Structures are given as structure tokens and as C-alpha cells.
Amino acid sequence: MTSENVIKCDPEMVRKEIDTHKKSASYELCENIINELIEIRHNNHISQYQLAARSGVKQQMIYRIENGINTPNMSTVLKLLAAYGKTLYIGDLKNVELEDGTEPAAESTDITELQSEDYPTE
């Protein structure tokens, strides 16, 4: 291997690029959705095979999603939720009562505040 083929990079710069706030927030959201799907499956005492039959998503894919090997796309998430008679809700948190009767955490948060605080512009 010649020196022309070697790519030199600063490990700290690579870490900063990978661990941006925007990326970590999206990964956290995806992780939360996956954890919710796992919890729903366990609470309903349904095996991965049964969920596969109900949802049309292959059991191997369900295994890979639940074990963090694959990240599901939106279509797959919706199929899995539909197997339980559920869907995703996108709406104003001010008008939502949580299942446990508590108020939403982001009760007075404005979307512009989220964008400016959580996702700094460069």
C-alpha cells in the first residue's frame, strides 16, 4: 500500500462528526420507538413469529430490529404497529392526554424553540 492510498484523519474530528447532537437525537428517537415495539410485543405475550405472521414483516427482520442490528424504516414501523391496532400520532402535544393521565413534558415548548436549542445552526 502506497502512502497515496492512505487516508489520514483526526480521530477526534471523526468522533465529533459521528456524535453530533442532531444525529444522537434521531438515534435516541429510533431507539425509543424500537423499545416501545418490544414492550408492546412482550406485554401482549406475542412471539416474533406471531408478530411476523400478523404484520407481514419477516421474523428475521423483527429479530434484527429488536437486537439493534437493523434500523427499521417508517413502513416497517407502521406495519408492526398495525399488527397491534396502533399507529403513530403526530400532533400538538398540548391536546394529548398521556395513557397514564399525566401531562406531556413538552407542554409549552414551541417548535422554533426546539429547532434553535436542540439543533444548533452553523
Side-chain angles (χ1 to χ4, degrees):
M1 180 185 303
T2 66
S3 63
E4 295 172 15
N5 296 333
V6 176
I7 299 173
K8 294 181 181 179
C9 59
D10 176 17
E12 182 64 20
M13 188 162 95
V14 171
R15 186 197 60 75
K16 285 180 183 177
E17 187 66 29
I18 291 172
D19 193 28
T20 64
H21 185 73
K22 186 173 183 178
K23 285 183 181 178
S24 64
S26 66
Y27 290 134
E28 184 178 330
L29 176 61
C30 188
E31 185 177 75
N32 290 341
I33 290 171
I34 291 168
N35 288 336
E36 186 71 23
L37 289 168
I38 293 168
E39 185 177 330
I40 293 169
R41 187 174 68 75
H42 289 169
N43 289 342
N44 285 281
H45 309 289
I46 296 172
S47 71
Q48 290 179 352
Y49 291 103
Q50 291 168 317
L51 179 56
R54 288 183 182 187
S55 66
V57 176
K58 292 183 178 183
Q59 181 276 328
Q60 295 89 344
M61 179 57 73
I62 294 169
Y63 171 85
R64 295 175 69 82
I65 290 168
E66 288 187 0
N67 288 281
I69 299 166
N70 283 38
T71 302
N73 61 35
M74 187 60 66
S75 174
T76 302
V77 169
L78 293 173
K79 286 177 185 178
L80 294 170
L81 287 170
Y84 302 111
K86 298 185 180 286
T87 191
L88 289 177
Y89 171 79
I90 299 174
D92 190 348
L93 287 177
K94 295 175 188 172
N95 298 325
V96 175
E97 183 178 324
L98 300 177
E99 288 180 6
D100 63 4
T102 61
E103 293 293 321
E107 176 178 313
S108 63
T109 305
D110 183 348
I111 188 68
T112 55
E113 291 173 11
L114 288 175
Q115 290 170 344
S116 63
E117 292 173 11
D118 295 339
Y119 304 107
T121 56
E122 295 182 41

